[in-house]
Amino acid sequence: ISTSGESINIIKGIQAANRIGALTIGLTGVHHNSLAEVSALTIHIEAENTHDIQEGHMAIGHRLAELVSDDLPTYYLGNGKYE
C-alpha cells in the first residue's frame, strides 16, 4: 500500500516477494508509478486527495481480510471456545 506508489520500502518488499514467486498486489492512488511497475496486479484508487485514497485502501483491506477469514477453518479448543 502506497498512496504515491513511490515508497521505497514498499517497492523493495514487493520486489523481494516477486523473487520468491509470491503473487504481489499493489494498492495505490496514482496510475503510473514505481509500485505499479513492480506489482503483478495493481489496484488504483481514483481520488483527488490522500485522505480519500487511504479510505479506499482501508476498505479494500477490510474486504480482503473478510474474504480470507471466511475461508479459514474454525477449531474447537474445548470448554466452549473456538479459535
Side-chain angles (χ1 to χ4, degrees):
I1 299 174
S2 173
T3 302
S4 68
E6 299 299 333
S7 174
I8 193 66
N9 290 333
I10 301 299
I11 293 164
K12 286 181 178 182
I14 293 288
Q15 290 170 329
N18 287 338
R19 283 193 295 275
I20 63 169
L23 171 63
T24 55
I25 303 172
L27 276 70
T28 185
V30 180
H31 276 288
H32 303 289
N33 58 57
S34 299
L35 179 60
E37 290 177 15
V38 297
S39 300
L41 172 70
T42 306
I43 300 172
H44 301 279
I45 302 298
E46 296 291 336
E48 295 295 320
N49 62 62
T50 299
H51 173 78
D52 290 337
I53 294 167
Q54 292 173 346
E55 288 285 332
H57 290 163
M58 287 192 313
I60 291 168
H62 286 292
R63 183 63 180 133
L64 289 174
E66 181 181 11
L67 291 169
V68 169
S69 67
D70 287 348
D71 285 341
L72 293 176
T74 301
Y75 297 99
Y76 182 65
L77 301 176
N79 301 324
K81 296 182 181 180
Y82 292 86
E83 180 180 279

